[in-house]
PDB file of all heavy atoms in Angstrom:
ATOM      1  N   MET W  29       0.793  -1.236   0.105  1.00  0.00           N
ATOM      2  CA  MET W  29      -0.043  -0.042  -0.004  1.00  0.00           C
ATOM      3  C   MET W  29       0.903   1.295  -0.105  1.00  0.00           C
ATOM      4  O   MET W  29       0.504   2.143  -0.731  1.00  0.00           O
ATOM      5  CB  MET W  29      -0.912   0.016   1.279  1.00  0.00           C
ATOM      6  CG  MET W  29      -2.000  -1.058   1.229  1.00  0.00           C
ATOM      7  SD  MET W  29      -3.223  -0.737   2.307  1.00  0.00           S
ATOM      8  CE  MET W  29      -4.009   0.696   1.889  1.00  0.00           C
ATOM      9  N   ILE W  30       2.031   1.205   0.638  1.00  0.00           N
ATOM     10  CA  ILE W  30       2.794   2.370   0.664  1.00  0.00           C
ATOM     11  C   ILE W  30       3.491   2.616  -0.609  1.00  0.00           C
ATOM     12  O   ILE W  30       3.562   3.672  -1.093  1.00  0.00           O
ATOM     13  CB  ILE W  30       4.074   2.089   1.827  1.00  0.00           C
ATOM     14  CG1 ILE W  30       3.291   2.177   3.210  1.00  0.00           C
ATOM     15  CG2 ILE W  30       5.074   3.319   1.571  1.00  0.00           C
ATOM     16  CD1 ILE W  30       4.388   1.949   4.333  1.00  0.00           C
ATOM     17  N   PHE W  31       3.782   1.465  -1.327  1.00  0.00           N
ATOM     18  CA  PHE W  31       4.336   1.695  -2.639  1.00  0.00           C
ATOM     19  C   PHE W  31       3.310   2.250  -3.608  1.00  0.00           C
ATOM     20  O   PHE W  31       3.569   3.140  -4.381  1.00  0.00           O
ATOM     21  CB  PHE W  31       4.747   0.250  -3.205  1.00  0.00           C
ATOM     22  CG  PHE W  31       5.135   0.223  -4.609  1.00  0.00           C
ATOM     23  CD1 PHE W  31       6.404   0.711  -5.099  1.00  0.00           C
ATOM     24  CD2 PHE W  31       4.281  -0.282  -5.611  1.00  0.00           C
ATOM     25  CE1 PHE W  31       6.682   0.785  -6.355  1.00  0.00           C
ATOM     26  CE2 PHE W  31       4.643  -0.251  -6.911  1.00  0.00           C
ATOM     27  CZ  PHE W  31       5.833   0.253  -7.389  1.00  0.00           C
ATOM     28  N   LEU W  32       2.034   1.710  -3.579  1.00  0.00           N
ATOM     29  CA  LEU W  32       1.050   2.231  -4.426  1.00  0.00           C
ATOM     30  C   LEU W  32       0.660   3.653  -4.181  1.00  0.00           C
ATOM     31  O   LEU W  32       0.311   4.434  -4.963  1.00  0.00           O
ATOM     32  CB  LEU W  32      -0.317   1.413  -4.194  1.00  0.00           C
ATOM     33  CG  LEU W  32      -0.308  -0.077  -4.590  1.00  0.00           C
ATOM     34  CD1 LEU W  32      -1.444  -0.812  -4.413  1.00  0.00           C
ATOM     35  CD2 LEU W  32       0.010  -0.078  -6.222  1.00  0.00           C
ATOM     36  N   LEU W  33       0.933   4.115  -2.773  1.00  0.00           N
ATOM     37  CA  LEU W  33       0.677   5.463  -2.395  1.00  0.00           C
ATOM     38  C   LEU W  33       1.697   6.382  -2.979  1.00  0.00           C
ATOM     39  O   LEU W  33       1.488   7.527  -3.370  1.00  0.00           O
ATOM     40  CB  LEU W  33       0.517   5.561  -0.931  1.00  0.00           C
ATOM     41  CG  LEU W  33       0.224   6.896  -0.269  1.00  0.00           C
ATOM     42  CD1 LEU W  33      -1.244   7.251  -0.685  1.00  0.00           C
ATOM     43  CD2 LEU W  33       0.411   6.888   1.229  1.00  0.00           C
ATOM     44  N   VAL W  34       2.977   5.886  -2.840  1.00  0.00           N
ATOM     45  CA  VAL W  34       4.086   6.773  -3.180  1.00  0.00           C
ATOM     46  C   VAL W  34       4.360   6.816  -4.735  1.00  0.00           C
ATOM     47  O   VAL W  34       4.904   7.725  -5.205  1.00  0.00           O
ATOM     48  CB  VAL W  34       5.290   6.366  -2.411  1.00  0.00           C
ATOM     49  CG1 VAL W  34       6.578   7.107  -2.801  1.00  0.00           C
ATOM     50  CG2 VAL W  34       5.072   6.434  -0.877  1.00  0.00           C
ATOM     51  N   ALA W  35       4.101   5.682  -5.327  1.00  0.00           N
ATOM     52  CA  ALA W  35       4.406   5.469  -6.863  1.00  0.00           C
ATOM     53  C   ALA W  35       3.902   6.646  -7.657  1.00  0.00           C
ATOM     54  O   ALA W  35       4.640   7.071  -8.499  1.00  0.00           O
ATOM     55  CB  ALA W  35       3.800   4.182  -7.371  1.00  0.00           C
ATOM     56  N   PRO W  36       2.668   7.220  -7.459  1.00  0.00           N
ATOM     57  CA  PRO W  36       2.205   8.285  -8.382  1.00  0.00           C
ATOM     58  C   PRO W  36       3.117   9.525  -8.140  1.00  0.00           C
ATOM     59  O   PRO W  36       3.275  10.352  -8.965  1.00  0.00           O
ATOM     60  CB  PRO W  36       0.810   8.658  -7.807  1.00  0.00           C
ATOM     61  CG  PRO W  36       0.421   7.317  -7.286  1.00  0.00           C
ATOM     62  CD  PRO W  36       1.569   6.651  -6.686  1.00  0.00           C
ATOM     63  N   LEU W  37       3.784   9.694  -6.868  1.00  0.00           N
ATOM     64  CA  LEU W  37       4.604  10.827  -6.719  1.00  0.00           C
ATOM     65  C   LEU W  37       5.836  10.736  -7.485  1.00  0.00           C
ATOM     66  O   LEU W  37       6.570  11.767  -7.730  1.00  0.00           O
ATOM     67  CB  LEU W  37       5.034  11.007  -5.290  1.00  0.00           C
ATOM     68  CG  LEU W  37       3.848  11.126  -4.210  1.00  0.00           C
ATOM     69  CD1 LEU W  37       4.300  11.102  -2.767  1.00  0.00           C
ATOM     70  CD2 LEU W  37       2.999  12.315  -4.544  1.00  0.00           C
ATOM     71  N   LEU W  38       6.132   9.629  -8.142  1.00  0.00           N
ATOM     72  CA  LEU W  38       7.294   9.422  -8.888  1.00  0.00           C
ATOM     73  C   LEU W  38       7.119   9.725 -10.378  1.00  0.00           C
ATOM     74  O   LEU W  38       7.917   9.805 -11.228  1.00  0.00           O
ATOM     75  CB  LEU W  38       7.893   8.023  -8.796  1.00  0.00           C
ATOM     76  CG  LEU W  38       8.201   7.480  -7.494  1.00  0.00           C
ATOM     77  CD1 LEU W  38       8.697   6.026  -7.450  1.00  0.00           C
ATOM     78  CD2 LEU W  38       9.187   8.368  -6.745  1.00  0.00           C
ATOM     79  N   THR W  39       5.891  10.024 -10.670  1.00  0.00           N
ATOM     80  CA  THR W  39       5.374  10.384 -12.043  1.00  0.00           C
ATOM     81  C   THR W  39       5.107  11.904 -12.137  1.00  0.00           C
ATOM     82  O   THR W  39       4.686  12.497 -11.121  1.00  0.00           O
ATOM     83  CB  THR W  39       4.061   9.661 -12.404  1.00  0.00           C
ATOM     84  OG1 THR W  39       4.274   8.277 -12.153  1.00  0.00           O
ATOM     85  CG2 THR W  39       3.688   9.852 -13.831  1.00  0.00           C
ATOM     86  N   SER W  40       5.510  12.482 -13.229  1.00  0.00           N
ATOM     87  CA  SER W  40       5.379  13.893 -13.417  1.00  0.00           C
ATOM     88  C   SER W  40       3.854  14.274 -13.248  1.00  0.00           C
ATOM     89  O   SER W  40       2.976  13.589 -13.625  1.00  0.00           O
ATOM     90  CB  SER W  40       5.760  14.336 -14.798  1.00  0.00           C
ATOM     91  OG  SER W  40       5.428  15.565 -15.075  1.00  0.00           O
ATOM     92  N   ILE W  41       3.657  15.438 -12.561  1.00  0.00           N
ATOM     93  CA  ILE W  41       2.367  15.940 -12.451  1.00  0.00           C
ATOM     94  C   ILE W  41       1.540  16.337 -13.748  1.00  0.00           C
ATOM     95  O   ILE W  41       0.411  16.121 -13.899  1.00  0.00           O
ATOM     96  CB  ILE W  41       2.267  17.159 -11.508  1.00  0.00           C
ATOM     97  CG1 ILE W  41       0.891  17.504 -11.156  1.00  0.00           C
ATOM     98  CG2 ILE W  41       3.061  18.335 -12.149  1.00  0.00           C
ATOM     99  CD1 ILE W  41       0.701  18.701 -10.274  1.00  0.00           C
ATOM    100  N   ILE W  42       2.481  16.612 -14.806  1.00  0.00           N
ATOM    101  CA  ILE W  42       1.926  16.832 -16.180  1.00  0.00           C
ATOM    102  C   ILE W  42       1.339  15.550 -16.684  1.00  0.00           C
ATOM    103  O   ILE W  42       0.227  15.554 -17.293  1.00  0.00           O
ATOM    104  CB  ILE W  42       2.941  17.502 -16.970  1.00  0.00           C
ATOM    105  CG1 ILE W  42       3.496  18.775 -16.472  1.00  0.00           C
ATOM    106  CG2 ILE W  42       2.461  17.671 -18.420  1.00  0.00           C
ATOM    107  CD1 ILE W  42       4.541  19.409 -17.247  1.00  0.00           C
ATOM    108  N   MET W  43       2.092  14.492 -16.512  1.00  0.00           N
ATOM    109  CA  MET W  43       1.646  13.214 -17.097  1.00  0.00           C
ATOM    110  C   MET W  43       0.275  12.698 -16.341  1.00  0.00           C
ATOM    111  O   MET W  43      -0.702  12.259 -16.992  1.00  0.00           O
ATOM    112  CB  MET W  43       2.653  12.215 -16.991  1.00  0.00           C
ATOM    113  CG  MET W  43       3.957  12.388 -17.632  1.00  0.00           C
ATOM    114  SD  MET W  43       3.530  12.699 -19.486  1.00  0.00           S
ATOM    115  CE  MET W  43       3.029  10.945 -19.986  1.00  0.00           C
ATOM    116  N   ARG W  44       0.227  12.896 -15.044  1.00  0.00           N
ATOM    117  CA  ARG W  44      -0.909  12.564 -14.279  1.00  0.00           C
ATOM    118  C   ARG W  44      -2.141  13.333 -14.719  1.00  0.00           C
ATOM    119  O   ARG W  44      -3.254  12.937 -14.890  1.00  0.00           O
ATOM    120  CB  ARG W  44      -0.665  12.569 -12.750  1.00  0.00           C
ATOM    121  CG  ARG W  44       0.104  11.520 -12.362  1.00  0.00           C
ATOM    122  CD  ARG W  44       0.313  11.662 -10.685  1.00  0.00           C
ATOM    123  NE  ARG W  44       1.395  12.505 -10.357  1.00  0.00           N
ATOM    124  CZ  ARG W  44       1.566  13.069  -9.187  1.00  0.00           C
ATOM    125  NH1 ARG W  44       0.835  12.700  -8.221  1.00  0.00           N
ATOM    126  NH2 ARG W  44       2.543  13.900  -8.976  1.00  0.00           N
ATOM    127  N   THR W  45      -1.919  14.666 -14.871  1.00  0.00           N
ATOM    128  CA  THR W  45      -3.058  15.560 -15.224  1.00  0.00           C
ATOM    129  C   THR W  45      -3.486  15.209 -16.730  1.00  0.00           C
ATOM    130  O   THR W  45      -4.698  15.197 -16.938  1.00  0.00           O
ATOM    131  CB  THR W  45      -2.502  16.979 -15.205  1.00  0.00           C
ATOM    132  OG1 THR W  45      -2.089  17.222 -13.943  1.00  0.00           O
ATOM    133  CG2 THR W  45      -3.726  18.020 -15.575  1.00  0.00           C
ATOM    134  N   PHE W  46      -2.573  14.913 -17.576  1.00  0.00           N
ATOM    135  CA  PHE W  46      -2.978  14.461 -18.977  1.00  0.00           C
ATOM    136  C   PHE W  46      -3.685  13.092 -18.878  1.00  0.00           C
ATOM    137  O   PHE W  46      -4.614  12.829 -19.704  1.00  0.00           O
ATOM    138  CB  PHE W  46      -1.790  14.317 -19.978  1.00  0.00           C
ATOM    139  CG  PHE W  46      -1.385  15.636 -20.538  1.00  0.00           C
ATOM    140  CD1 PHE W  46      -0.231  16.251 -20.375  1.00  0.00           C
ATOM    141  CD2 PHE W  46      -2.380  16.149 -21.400  1.00  0.00           C
ATOM    142  CE1 PHE W  46       0.061  17.441 -21.009  1.00  0.00           C
ATOM    143  CE2 PHE W  46      -2.065  17.439 -22.127  1.00  0.00           C
ATOM    144  CZ  PHE W  46      -0.879  18.095 -21.905  1.00  0.00           C
ATOM    145  N   GLY W  47      -3.323  12.252 -17.910  1.00  0.00           N
ATOM    146  CA  GLY W  47      -4.179  10.926 -17.723  1.00  0.00           C
ATOM    147  C   GLY W  47      -5.582  11.329 -17.414  1.00  0.00           C
ATOM    148  O   GLY W  47      -6.453  10.528 -17.947  1.00  0.00           O
ATOM    149  N   TRP W  48      -5.838  12.290 -16.634  1.00  0.00           N
ATOM    150  CA  TRP W  48      -7.262  12.652 -16.278  1.00  0.00           C
ATOM    151  C   TRP W  48      -7.905  13.294 -17.555  1.00  0.00           C
ATOM    152  O   TRP W  48      -9.090  13.188 -17.648  1.00  0.00           O
ATOM    153  CB  TRP W  48      -7.184  13.704 -15.108  1.00  0.00           C
ATOM    154  CG  TRP W  48      -7.165  12.978 -13.780  1.00  0.00           C
ATOM    155  CD1 TRP W  48      -6.050  13.000 -12.870  1.00  0.00           C
ATOM    156  CD2 TRP W  48      -8.101  12.093 -13.115  1.00  0.00           C
ATOM    157  NE1 TRP W  48      -6.317  12.173 -11.856  1.00  0.00           N
ATOM    158  CE2 TRP W  48      -7.639  11.699 -11.901  1.00  0.00           C
ATOM    159  CE3 TRP W  48      -9.413  11.730 -13.554  1.00  0.00           C
ATOM    160  CZ2 TRP W  48      -8.265  10.838 -11.094  1.00  0.00           C
ATOM    161  CZ3 TRP W  48     -10.007  10.718 -12.747  1.00  0.00           C
ATOM    162  CH2 TRP W  48      -9.491  10.385 -11.506  1.00  0.00           C
ATOM    163  N   ASN W  49      -7.102  13.911 -18.420  1.00  0.00           N
ATOM    164  CA  ASN W  49      -7.660  14.486 -19.612  1.00  0.00           C
ATOM    165  C   ASN W  49      -8.269  13.315 -20.432  1.00  0.00           C
ATOM    166  O   ASN W  49      -9.253  13.416 -21.066  1.00  0.00           O
ATOM    167  CB  ASN W  49      -6.632  15.209 -20.439  1.00  0.00           C
ATOM    168  CG  ASN W  49      -6.678  16.633 -20.123  1.00  0.00           C
ATOM    169  OD1 ASN W  49      -7.584  17.364 -20.597  1.00  0.00           O
ATOM    170  ND2 ASN W  49      -5.739  17.118 -19.351  1.00  0.00           N
ATOM    171  N   VAL W  50      -7.475  12.229 -20.443  1.00  0.00           N
ATOM    172  CA  VAL W  50      -7.929  11.011 -21.208  1.00  0.00           C
ATOM    173  C   VAL W  50      -9.144  10.448 -20.643  1.00  0.00           C
ATOM    174  O   VAL W  50     -10.085   9.988 -21.324  1.00  0.00           O
ATOM    175  CB  VAL W  50      -6.793   9.971 -21.305  1.00  0.00           C
ATOM    176  CG1 VAL W  50      -7.253   8.679 -21.956  1.00  0.00           C
ATOM    177  CG2 VAL W  50      -5.620  10.573 -22.141  1.00  0.00           C
ATOM    178  N   ILE W  51      -9.197  10.321 -19.310  1.00  0.00           N
ATOM    179  CA  ILE W  51     -10.285   9.746 -18.628  1.00  0.00           C
ATOM    180  C   ILE W  51     -11.605  10.650 -18.724  1.00  0.00           C
ATOM    181  O   ILE W  51     -12.698  10.065 -19.023  1.00  0.00           O
ATOM    182  CB  ILE W  51      -9.973   9.457 -17.133  1.00  0.00           C
ATOM    183  CG1 ILE W  51      -8.897   8.473 -16.949  1.00  0.00           C
ATOM    184  CG2 ILE W  51     -11.237   9.004 -16.380  1.00  0.00           C
ATOM    185  CD1 ILE W  51      -8.427   8.296 -15.618  1.00  0.00           C
ATOM    186  N   LEU W  52     -11.526  11.939 -18.542  1.00  0.00           N
ATOM    187  CA  LEU W  52     -12.612  12.850 -18.491  1.00  0.00           C
ATOM    188  C   LEU W  52     -13.047  13.421 -19.867  1.00  0.00           C
ATOM    189  O   LEU W  52     -13.991  14.236 -19.895  1.00  0.00           O
ATOM    190  CB  LEU W  52     -12.368  13.921 -17.528  1.00  0.00           C
ATOM    191  CG  LEU W  52     -12.164  13.481 -16.132  1.00  0.00           C
ATOM    192  CD1 LEU W  52     -11.681  14.707 -15.206  1.00  0.00           C
ATOM    193  CD2 LEU W  52     -13.294  12.637 -15.464  1.00  0.00           C
ATOM    194  N   ALA W  53     -12.175  13.144 -20.942  1.00  0.00           N
ATOM    195  CA  ALA W  53     -12.545  13.779 -22.208  1.00  0.00           C
ATOM    196  C   ALA W  53     -14.015  13.381 -22.773  1.00  0.00           C
ATOM    197  O   ALA W  53     -14.621  12.423 -22.286  1.00  0.00           O
ATOM    198  CB  ALA W  53     -11.460  13.326 -23.226  1.00  0.00           C
ATOM    199  N   ARG W  54     -14.319  14.209 -23.739  1.00  0.00           N
ATOM    200  CA  ARG W  54     -15.747  13.928 -24.277  1.00  0.00           C
ATOM    201  C   ARG W  54     -15.940  12.503 -24.828  1.00  0.00           C
ATOM    202  O   ARG W  54     -17.004  11.773 -24.680  1.00  0.00           O
ATOM    203  CB  ARG W  54     -16.014  14.938 -25.514  1.00  0.00           C
ATOM    204  CG  ARG W  54     -17.354  14.831 -26.105  1.00  0.00           C
ATOM    205  CD  ARG W  54     -17.563  15.968 -27.143  1.00  0.00           C
ATOM    206  NE  ARG W  54     -18.896  15.736 -27.696  1.00  0.00           N
ATOM    207  CZ  ARG W  54     -20.057  16.303 -27.153  1.00  0.00           C
ATOM    208  NH1 ARG W  54     -19.964  16.982 -26.067  1.00  0.00           N
ATOM    209  NH2 ARG W  54     -21.127  16.202 -27.824  1.00  0.00           N
ATOM    210  N   ASN W  55     -14.873  11.938 -25.459  1.00  0.00           N
ATOM    211  CA  ASN W  55     -14.925  10.461 -25.918  1.00  0.00           C
ATOM    212  C   ASN W  55     -13.982   9.627 -24.961  1.00  0.00           C
ATOM    213  O   ASN W  55     -13.467   8.680 -25.559  1.00  0.00           O
ATOM    214  CB  ASN W  55     -14.489  10.481 -27.333  1.00  0.00           C
ATOM    215  CG  ASN W  55     -15.520  11.158 -28.268  1.00  0.00           C
ATOM    216  OD1 ASN W  55     -16.672  11.018 -28.064  1.00  0.00           O
ATOM    217  ND2 ASN W  55     -14.971  11.960 -29.219  1.00  0.00           N
ATOM    218  N   GLY W  56     -13.700  10.161 -23.790  1.00  0.00           N
ATOM    219  CA  GLY W  56     -12.770   9.427 -22.877  1.00  0.00           C
ATOM    220  C   GLY W  56     -13.405   8.208 -22.331  1.00  0.00           C
ATOM    221  O   GLY W  56     -14.453   7.739 -22.562  1.00  0.00           O
ATOM    222  N   VAL W  57     -12.619   7.624 -21.372  1.00  0.00           N
ATOM    223  CA  VAL W  57     -13.016   6.453 -20.734  1.00  0.00           C
ATOM    224  C   VAL W  57     -14.331   6.528 -19.995  1.00  0.00           C
ATOM    225  O   VAL W  57     -15.080   5.622 -19.976  1.00  0.00           O
ATOM    226  CB  VAL W  57     -11.812   5.882 -19.802  1.00  0.00           C
ATOM    227  CG1 VAL W  57     -12.245   4.602 -19.153  1.00  0.00           C
ATOM    228  CG2 VAL W  57     -10.553   5.647 -20.567  1.00  0.00           C
ATOM    229  N   LEU W  58     -14.400   7.507 -19.173  1.00  0.00           N
ATOM    230  CA  LEU W  58     -15.642   7.691 -18.298  1.00  0.00           C
ATOM    231  C   LEU W  58     -16.850   7.795 -19.123  1.00  0.00           C
ATOM    232  O   LEU W  58     -17.904   7.137 -18.812  1.00  0.00           O
ATOM    233  CB  LEU W  58     -15.446   8.864 -17.343  1.00  0.00           C
ATOM    234  CG  LEU W  58     -16.450   8.969 -16.227  1.00  0.00           C
ATOM    235  CD1 LEU W  58     -16.741   7.714 -15.455  1.00  0.00           C
ATOM    236  CD2 LEU W  58     -16.182  10.273 -15.391  1.00  0.00           C
ATOM    237  N   ASN W  59     -16.828   8.689 -20.085  1.00  0.00           N
ATOM    238  CA  ASN W  59     -17.980   8.898 -20.957  1.00  0.00           C
ATOM    239  C   ASN W  59     -18.422   7.730 -21.677  1.00  0.00           C
ATOM    240  O   ASN W  59     -19.533   7.438 -21.833  1.00  0.00           O
ATOM    241  CB  ASN W  59     -17.717  10.161 -21.878  1.00  0.00           C
ATOM    242  CG  ASN W  59     -18.267  11.421 -21.258  1.00  0.00           C
ATOM    243  OD1 ASN W  59     -19.231  11.545 -20.511  1.00  0.00           O
ATOM    244  ND2 ASN W  59     -17.459  12.492 -21.478  1.00  0.00           N
ATOM    245  N   SER W  60     -17.410   7.034 -22.205  1.00  0.00           N
ATOM    246  CA  SER W  60     -17.720   5.773 -23.026  1.00  0.00           C
ATOM    247  C   SER W  60     -18.303   4.750 -22.035  1.00  0.00           C
ATOM    248  O   SER W  60     -19.179   4.071 -22.561  1.00  0.00           O
ATOM    249  CB  SER W  60     -16.427   5.312 -23.609  1.00  0.00           C
ATOM    250  OG  SER W  60     -15.727   6.153 -24.487  1.00  0.00           O
ATOM    251  N   THR W  61     -17.915   4.621 -20.864  1.00  0.00           N
ATOM    252  CA  THR W  61     -18.337   3.640 -19.876  1.00  0.00           C
ATOM    253  C   THR W  61     -19.847   4.037 -19.546  1.00  0.00           C
ATOM    254  O   THR W  61     -20.735   3.218 -19.636  1.00  0.00           O
ATOM    255  CB  THR W  61     -17.526   3.595 -18.585  1.00  0.00           C
ATOM    256  OG1 THR W  61     -16.271   3.248 -19.042  1.00  0.00           O
ATOM    257  CG2 THR W  61     -18.136   2.548 -17.653  1.00  0.00           C
ATOM    258  N   LEU W  62     -20.050   5.333 -19.250  1.00  0.00           N
ATOM    259  CA  LEU W  62     -21.403   5.740 -18.945  1.00  0.00           C
ATOM    260  C   LEU W  62     -22.472   5.543 -20.046  1.00  0.00           C
ATOM    261  O   LEU W  62     -23.568   5.093 -19.863  1.00  0.00           O
ATOM    262  CB  LEU W  62     -21.438   7.201 -18.545  1.00  0.00           C
ATOM    263  CG  LEU W  62     -20.668   7.513 -17.237  1.00  0.00           C
ATOM    264  CD1 LEU W  62     -20.692   9.095 -16.974  1.00  0.00           C
ATOM    265  CD2 LEU W  62     -21.210   6.805 -16.006  1.00  0.00           C
TER     266      LEU W  62
END
């Protein structure tokens, strides 16, 4: 759990934010699932 918690901190905040862009985009993962 500590590794899963700390692992995102090793990734650039820009990459994580772009990941949310992919998930929340108009044709992204969340909209497609809904």
Side-chain angles (χ1 to χ4, degrees):
M29 291 193 65
I30 292 177
F31 172 77
L32 294 176
L33 184 69
V34 176
L37 300 178
L38 305 177
T39 307
S40 169
I41 187 175
I42 299 177
M43 297 302 297
R44 283 182 280 169
T45 304
F46 271 116
W48 279 110
N49 268 288
V50 173
I51 295 174
L52 301 176
R54 182 176 179 84
N55 296 318
V57 176
L58 185 56
N59 269 320
S60 299
T61 302
L62 293 176

